[in-house]
Amino acid sequence: MAAARGLGEAALPGLEPAGSKKKEPDHARHRERLRARFDRAGATALADYELLELVLFRAIPRRDVKPLAKRLLAEFGDFNHAISAPPARLTKVEGLGEAAARELKIVEAAAHRLAQARVIGREALSSWSALMTYCKTVMAYRETEEFRILFLDRKNALLADEAQAKGTVDHVPVYPREVAKRALELNASAMIMVHNHPSGDPTPSPADIEMTQRIEAALEAVGVTLHDHVVIGKETDASFRALGLL
């Protein structure tokens, strides 16, 4: 018969005394508090790193993610830049794997879809503020230049929004004939061109101006109107028409 265990002896591995309760990890209680604060007061009550934590909870269920959220901000600057960063750069951040990077990109995609829903099918020129909000959401935080075209019908309603080309940090190749060809394929009557400047300064460059003039000439030849070319910066945008360049 086994001897009775003394008071000072440790319990057998894996066994807990009757009536005992395993202590909840500190980070689990932190998650509950953070979720409750979001439910009660919304996103405006949270700092950027806390909003990142909420996103990371789904991909990393059993680890304190606050240090990781703060590393993301140290690397990318703010919430917007973090979710807009390419997956290859995200996964270089210590502790962030493919699953967590995917969660961040899902949030970015949802933001783009929501902003797009507010402009598709609407008269573009009378919905200019919503249109620019959409363009900034999609393009302002990209690390390389992207050229997009907003194709419009005869009533200036948005038919399609397409990324035509992607480039480097300061250049994106665009071919006037291809732009005109795509407008004809969509039966578009007009268009608005948009591209971003990753530097943050939306001032049109000489190359931007020359390229716009070439595209405008190609569109005129097929009866399509170029309403504007907008350059998106980090905080502001520049309209060719407002600047007298169209």
Side-chain angles (χ1 to χ4, degrees), residues 229-241:
H229 182 181
V230 180
V231 184
I232 302 294
K234 287 288 191 299
E235 304 295 336
T236 59
D237 56 76
S239 159
F240 271 56
R241 189 159 297 280

Side-chain angles (χ1 to χ4, degrees), residues 145-217:
E145 284 200 12
E146 180 179 80
F147 182 82
R148 304 184 76 88
I149 298 179
L150 310 178
F151 295 97
L152 311 177
D153 66 14
R154 294 182 184 279
K155 295 182 179 180
N156 286 324
L158 188 59
L159 281 173
D161 158 40
E162 297 183 354
Q164 296 295 305
K166 296 181 180 180
T168 63
V169 294
D170 59 2
H171 174 70
V172 59
V174 182
Y175 304 100
R177 287 184 182 178
E178 293 301 315
V179 172
K181 178 183 176 183
R182 185 57 179 153
L184 292 175
E185 289 173 347
L186 292 171
N187 197 29
S189 296
M191 67 172 59
I192 298 168
M193 302 192 307
V194 189
H195 84 280
N196 63 309
H197 279 180
S199 67
D201 180 3
T203 304
S205 68
D208 292 338
I209 296 170
E210 190 269 338
M211 177 263 290
T212 303
Q213 291 170 343
R214 289 172 53 218
I215 291 178
E216 184 179 29

Side-chain angles (χ1 to χ4, degrees), residues 99-176:
R102 186 181 303 113
E103 290 295 328
L104 294 172
K105 301 313 291 182
I106 289 171
V107 172
E108 181 194 28
H112 291 180
R113 188 69 61 86
L114 178 62
Q116 186 184 59
R118 292 172 175 164
V119 296
I120 286 290
R122 295 181 62 182
E123 204 280 323
L125 301 185
S126 64
S127 307
W128 192 256
S129 178
L131 196 65
M132 289 301 100
T133 296
Y134 165 62
C135 291
K136 289 174 184 176
T137 299
V138 174
M139 304 176 73
Y141 301 98
R142 294 193 178 277
E143 297 181 340
T144 56
E145 284 200 12
E146 180 179 80
F147 182 82
R148 304 184 76 88
I149 298 179
L150 310 178
F151 295 97
L152 311 177
D153 66 14
R154 294 182 184 279
K155 295 182 179 180
N156 286 324
L158 188 59
L159 281 173
D161 158 40
E162 297 183 354
Q164 296 295 305
K166 296 181 180 180
T168 63
V169 294
D170 59 2
H171 174 70
V172 59
V174 182
Y175 304 100

Side-chain angles (χ1 to χ4, degrees), residues 72 76 80-93 96 101-102 104-105 108 141-144:
L72 282 167
F76 299 109
N80 292 325
H81 282 89
I83 67 169
S84 300
R89 283 202 61 198
L90 287 170
T91 52
K92 288 182 179 178
V93 176
L96 195 140
R102 186 181 303 113
L104 294 172
K105 301 313 291 182
E108 181 194 28
Y141 301 98
R142 294 193 178 277
E143 297 181 340
T144 56

